Amino acid sequence: MAATISVIIPVRNSRDYLDKCMESVLGQTFTDIEVILAENKSTDGSVEMCDGYAAKDSRVRVLHLDTEGQSAARNAALDVCTAPLVCFIDSDDHVETDMLASLHELMTAYQADIVCSNFFYEHDGVARTNEYDDGKVMVLDKRGTTEKFLSMEINNSPWSKLIKRSLFDGLRFPEGRLYEDHAIMHRLAYRCDKAVWLRKSYYYYVQHDGSTVHTRTPKKIYDFFLADYDRYRFIGEHRVLLEGDTTRLTNLEAMRCFKHFRTFMRDRRSDGCRRLRDDMIVKLSDMSHNEKLKPKLRRRLWAVRRAYWLFYLIHVALRRK
């Protein structure tokens, strides 16, 4: 008989964090779970650790994948999970042992498609208090859910949430790119008829030097640009939002794309990434024709292509790293 919740944990070189993560998952007060460890090409002993968990607890399944990447790991687990509900946890993070019970209770009570909670930042074993933890429960319709995700009032990571697996039908995390969650979570939100946001933290997002967010390369900046460009296009193609929200969020995403490009250009390593640069220039130039954008932003976007050297002089030349 299938479990109620599939807990999906991508694993790659997580030896120093995996025990704490698994202790918090296997110790959940909600026990009707399957845990899928999607291990991909670890070299630090994580492979043996994953197999050890499976040998000790029948709820644990291990996938040994030949493809690297968090998206590939999550997608592979989605393809084989059996529960009607899924919860994602990163292998270097951990959770409160009543997280699944609390989220499942709300999902059942409100017949929701997704239940979201807050999270703590943890650094050197110290968790920072989340100022938005007031314990309120917000029930959202499709429009409200989509707006909260696009505005990032609800965090855009797949973790700290309980999600109906059916929302992923025909939808997967983009592979070969970083910030894959930023490119997909608003699409999941759009598929929800009802969502619940519990403003309480159960998830510990552990900060360390190996985290993606602490290292930056031109390719990573480009991936972030693509994620926000996808969101920009999504807003224009889907009319679920109120007109005021559409205009506000269109400007927000366009400005974010412009800032990603500016950051990309200020990195001297971008000189060797002309293909990525040219792709961003074309996309920004197309944005400049959008009459929903503020005039100043449209002028900036126009200058990226039509007055490139002026843009370069003002925004890049004196600030390169």
Side-chain angles (χ1 to χ4, degrees):
M1 185 174 177
T4 300
I5 299 174
S6 292
V7 180
I8 294 174
I9 306 176
V11 179
R12 177 168 167 79
N13 293 336
S14 305
R15 179 186 61 190
D16 294 338
Y17 306 94
L18 196 51
D19 274 339
K20 190 168 186 177
C21 175
M22 289 299 290
E23 180 182 351
S24 70
V25 173
L26 297 178
Q28 288 291 304
T29 57
F30 187 95
T31 59
D32 187 17
I33 64 175
E34 68 168 354
V35 181
I36 302 178
L37 297 173
E39 184 280 318
N40 51 0
K41 306 185 75 169
S42 295
T43 58
D44 68 343
S46 295
V47 174
E48 293 76 15
M49 292 178 71
C50 289
D51 291 338
Y53 299 127
K56 294 177 182 177
D57 195 315
S58 61
R59 298 175 297 172
V60 179
R61 302 170 60 190
V62 181
L63 305 180
H64 293 298
L65 307 175
D66 294 328
T67 305
E68 295 182 17
Q70 198 166 50
S71 288
R74 287 173 176 158
N75 290 340
L78 282 170
D79 289 341
V80 302
C81 68
T82 60
L85 307 175
V86 295
C87 175
F88 295 93
I89 298 176
D90 285 353
S91 57
D92 49 358
D93 298 332
H94 56 100
V95 298
E96 294 283 359
T97 54
D98 63 340
M99 182 181 81
L100 294 182
S102 299
L103 300 188
H104 183 263
E105 180 180 356
L106 288 172
M107 179 164 278
T108 302
Y110 290 96
Q111 293 297 294
D113 299 303
I114 183 171
V115 180
C116 310
S117 63
N118 295 342
F119 68 95
F120 298 110
Y121 282 103
E122 180 180 309
H123 188 266
D124 289 338
V126 178
R128 190 172 74 201
T129 301
N130 191 320
E131 61 182 304
Y132 298 106
D133 277 7
D134 54 19
K136 291 182 179 178
V137 174
M138 298 182 65
V139 182
L140 305 166
D141 60 9
K142 179 190 291 286
R143 177 183 293 165
T145 306
T146 306
E147 189 278 328
K148 293 294 185 188
F149 272 82
L150 285 170
S151 65
M152 294 186 291
E153 193 171 345
I154 295 177
N155 81 78
N156 275 226
S157 296
W159 38 254
S160 74
K161 300 168 179 66
L162 190 60
I163 307 169
K164 281 188 176 179
R165 180 163 58 95
S166 59
L167 294 183
F168 286 98
D169 289 349
L171 184 63
R172 289 293 185 268
F173 293 94
E175 298 185 19
R177 288 166 49 182
L178 297 172
Y179 304 104
E180 70 289 340
D181 43 10
H182 201 69
I184 192 178
M185 294 306 296
H186 59 287
R187 295 185 179 276
L188 288 175
Y190 180 71
R191 293 183 170 197
C192 291
D193 291 320
K194 184 187 293 184
V196 174
W197 178 19
L198 171 59
R199 291 165 59 103
K200 180 178 178 180
S201 294
Y202 294 90
Y203 192 100
Y204 292 83
Y205 179 34
V206 178
Q207 308 293 289
H208 55 85
D209 293 339
S211 297
T212 299
V213 294
H214 294 306
T215 57
R216 188 174 68 184
T217 67
K219 175 60 166 60
K220 289 182 180 179
I221 300 169
Y222 175 70
D223 285 349
F224 211 168
F225 173 94
L226 289 181
D228 276 315
Y229 181 70
D230 181 84
R231 293 159 72 91
Y232 166 84
R233 287 176 56 87
F234 176 90
I235 295 167
E237 294 168 358
H238 297 79
R239 302 299 180 183
V240 68
L241 300 173
L242 297 174
E243 183 61 29
D245 288 333
T246 297
T247 300
R248 174 176 58 86
L249 291 171
T250 298
N251 276 271
L252 172 66
E253 293 299 344
M255 177 57 75
R256 287 174 63 87
C257 287
F258 173 78
K259 288 182 176 179
H260 291 319
F261 178 71
R262 187 174 61 188
T263 301
F264 176 93
M265 292 301 300
R266 288 176 180 176
D267 190 323
R268 294 185 184 276
R269 294 170 296 179
S270 67
D271 292 341
C273 305
R274 294 187 62 179
R275 181 183 63 82
L276 306 185
R277 182 200 67 182
D278 291 346
D279 182 55
M280 286 189 281
I281 288 175
V282 170
K283 289 178 168 60
L284 291 171
S285 180
D286 288 343
M287 287 184 196
S288 69
H289 301 293
N290 191 335
E291 295 184 356
K292 289 186 180 295
L293 299 184
K294 296 178 181 179
K296 182 178 180 180
L297 178 54
R298 291 183 67 185
R299 289 194 298 270
R300 284 180 166 184
L301 298 175
W302 177 88
V304 167
R305 187 169 191 176
R306 304 301 178 185
Y308 178 77
W309 292 110
L310 179 61
F311 159 80
Y312 188 90
L313 179 64
I314 294 173
H315 292 281
V316 179
L318 301 178
R319 306 183 187 185
R320 299 205 80 183
K321 297 180 180 179

